[in-house]
Amino acid sequence: MFPHHREREQPIFSARAHVFQIDPTTKRNWIPASKHAVTVSFFYDANRNVYRIISVGGTKAIINCTITPSMTFTKTSQKFGQWADSRANTVYGLGFATEQQLHQFADKFKEVKDAARLAREKSQDKELANTALTIAAPQFSQDLSDELQSPPVMCVNGPEDKLFRSQSADITLSSEKERIKKMLSEGSICEMNLEAELFTLQDSNSKLVAALHEANANVEQWKKQLAAYQEETDRLRDQVAELEAHGGQGPSDLLKDELTQSLEELESLLKAKDEEIHILQSKKAEYHEMEHERDEAIHRLREIEMRNSDLERRIQNSEQNLNNSLEERDRMDSEIQRAIEILDIKIFDLNDLRQSLVKLIDK
């Protein structure tokens, strides 16, 4: 949206890594900020003498961190490192493919941090020098004003009114621009929250889909086992009925007891399998509910994107109006300057005429 800010920044180092952010609630767990490895780059702004770490995933900025001398990059494992950003109130984590890439990024981070420290020291020295000049400036201005005589003050209502109207329009457009920027920032925050929620729902959805496929496979297997158990139960019942029809005693009673016990075990196993089937069916209902929530999140995300597009268009119109107002003010300034020059000439001519009249009167 503001390309001139990116034009003055130059990339000085890039690496690919998986980006994570600390969970703001627990402050212990890592939340993935990207689905796959993305490019993480160091940028240097020569005009402001500022270093930043920027990473973009898709259409949003995953990392936008200004490096300060107080930051420290810590290696927590062979391929993982982290640092804290107090301005964003978060902790970033990077997972690299190799240990060598981690060492290169850590060395570059230390180098850029030292450069940022030197830049801050130079900036502080410059501010001290400007402060000393500011303290000495009033006395010099007072001495200069004592030596010079104040010129006659002429009031020209027309140009002053134009200048006042131009400044008022400029202030109004600036306040409108700041308000729209604030609205766009709030919309971007909502969009990032919805995208994070959508990523969480998609992750839960994938887990539920995998569990559902596994459950469906288990249900088919259990159905086959259930059919086999039912056949075995029917066969045992037939054997029991046949033994009872023969009316045998002794060993047949013992066999009947064993068959009855086996039948009870099979029935209890069937009940357990039925309960597991009901549990899986309830999980399937939860899966459909998660799909509905995911669709709602996608719909809200699309609405936020449309609002952001509208806000960007309004900001562009406001910037165009502001540029037009600035051009109009410059034109009015040039007209005022030209009117002042004409007035100076007229005053000089009147002064010459007055002196000529004084001389004629003296004669």
Side-chain angles (χ1 to χ4, degrees):
M1 189 187 307
F2 301 101
H4 58 278
H5 290 298
R6 294 298 301 271
E7 288 177 358
R8 64 188 182 188
E9 288 184 325
Q10 298 295 330
I12 57 177
F13 179 80
S14 297
R16 292 189 64 81
H18 291 271
V19 181
F20 300 85
Q21 285 188 1
I22 200 71
D23 190 346
T25 56
T26 62
K27 298 294 184 181
R28 297 180 63 183
N29 300 325
W30 290 106
I31 299 176
S34 61
K35 297 180 181 179
H36 48 77
V38 296
T39 302
V40 183
S41 303
F42 288 87
F43 281 84
Y44 174 62
D45 188 345
N47 293 334
R48 296 187 302 161
N49 205 9
V50 171
Y51 294 88
R52 290 199 302 166
I53 298 178
I54 297 176
S55 178
V56 178
T59 58
K60 69 172 184 176
I62 301 174
I63 301 176
N64 186 2
C65 173
T66 301
I67 300 176
T68 61
S70 60
M71 289 183 177
T72 302
F73 185 79
T74 305
K75 303 175 186 177
T76 57
S77 66
Q78 292 182 351
K79 299 180 182 179
F80 192 87
Q82 66 184 45
W83 80 94
D85 185 359
S86 58
R87 295 183 180 178
N89 193 22
T90 188
V91 179
Y92 294 105
L94 297 180
F96 295 89
T98 62
E99 185 176 359
Q100 181 182 3
Q101 292 179 358
L102 173 62
H103 289 314
Q104 291 176 353
F105 188 90
D107 294 340
K108 180 57 66 174
F109 193 99
K110 184 177 182 301
E111 178 184 342
V112 170
K113 184 182 75 171
D114 295 338
R117 178 179 55 80
L118 293 176
R120 174 173 290 186
E121 291 176 356
K122 290 181 180 179
S123 177
Q124 290 175 352
D125 294 339
K126 186 176 180 179
E127 289 179 359
L128 291 175
N130 292 335
T131 304
L133 291 175
T134 304
I135 294 173
Q139 183 62 34
F140 176 75
S141 177
Q142 182 64 33
D143 295 340
L144 184 62
S145 62
D146 293 338
E147 294 178 0
L148 299 177
Q149 294 181 355
S150 299
V153 178
M154 298 293 293
C155 181
V156 184
N157 293 330
E160 286 185 356
D161 290 340
K162 291 181 180 180
L163 180 60
F164 177 76
R165 286 195 299 269
S166 176
Q167 291 176 349
S168 300
D170 190 7
I171 292 173
T172 303
L173 287 173
S174 298
S175 61
E176 180 68 15
K177 181 179 178 181
E178 293 297 329
R179 184 178 68 83
I180 294 176
K181 283 184 178 179
K182 183 178 179 181
M183 292 171 60
L184 181 60
S185 176
E186 293 176 355
S188 299
I189 292 173
C190 294
E191 182 180 2
M192 293 176 66
N193 293 335
L194 284 175
E195 286 181 352
E197 182 181 355
L198 178 61
F199 177 77
T200 304
L201 289 174
Q202 288 177 346
D203 185 41
S204 301
N205 184 26
S206 61
K207 291 181 180 178
L208 285 173
V209 169
L212 184 60
H213 289 325
E214 183 180 358
N216 288 332
N218 292 333
V219 166
E220 295 297 331
Q221 183 178 1
W222 291 337
K223 285 181 178 179
K224 294 179 181 179
Q225 292 180 359
L226 181 60
Y229 293 151
Q230 287 177 348
E231 292 178 359
E232 182 69 17
T233 301
D234 294 337
R235 187 179 63 82
L236 292 174
R237 282 177 179 173
D238 293 338
Q239 290 181 0
V240 170
E242 184 180 355
L243 290 173
E244 288 179 351
H246 288 83
Q249 299 294 331
S252 63
D253 293 335
L254 181 59
L255 181 60
K256 181 179 179 180
D257 294 337
E258 291 179 356
L259 292 174
T260 303
Q261 184 179 359
S262 299
L263 183 61
E264 291 176 353
E265 291 177 356
L266 288 173
E267 289 179 349
S268 62
L269 183 59
L270 288 174
K271 290 181 180 180
K273 295 298 182 181
D274 288 335
E275 291 178 357
E276 290 181 358
I277 290 173
H278 288 306
I279 292 173
L280 290 175
Q281 289 177 348
S282 64
K283 286 185 178 180
K284 187 175 181 180
E286 293 177 357
Y287 165 72
H288 290 303
E289 184 178 355
M290 291 293 292
E291 278 191 340
H292 180 67
E293 292 179 357
R294 184 193 65 180
D295 294 337
E296 290 182 351
I298 292 174
H299 180 67
R300 291 199 302 268
L301 181 61
R302 290 176 179 173
E303 290 180 350
I304 291 295
E305 289 177 349
M306 294 176 62
R307 288 179 55 193
N308 283 347
S309 299
D310 182 59
L311 290 175
E312 288 178 358
R313 186 173 60 257
R314 292 172 61 185
I315 287 178
Q316 290 176 356
N317 294 333
S318 299
E319 287 181 343
Q320 183 65 32
N321 293 333
L322 179 61
N323 292 330
N324 294 335
S325 299
L326 291 175
E327 292 176 358
E328 182 67 18
R329 188 182 66 179
D330 294 338
R331 187 181 62 80
M332 289 182 178
D333 289 342
S334 62
E335 291 179 358
I336 292 171
Q337 186 64 30
R338 188 165 54 253
I340 291 173
E341 292 176 356
I342 294 172
L343 287 175
D344 289 339
I345 294 173
K346 297 297 183 182
I347 292 171
F348 182 75
D349 293 340
L350 289 174
N351 189 22
D352 288 344
L353 181 59
R354 183 181 63 82
Q355 290 179 0
S356 300
L357 291 174
V358 169
K359 289 179 182 181
L360 289 174
I361 293 171
D362 291 340
K363 290 179 180 181

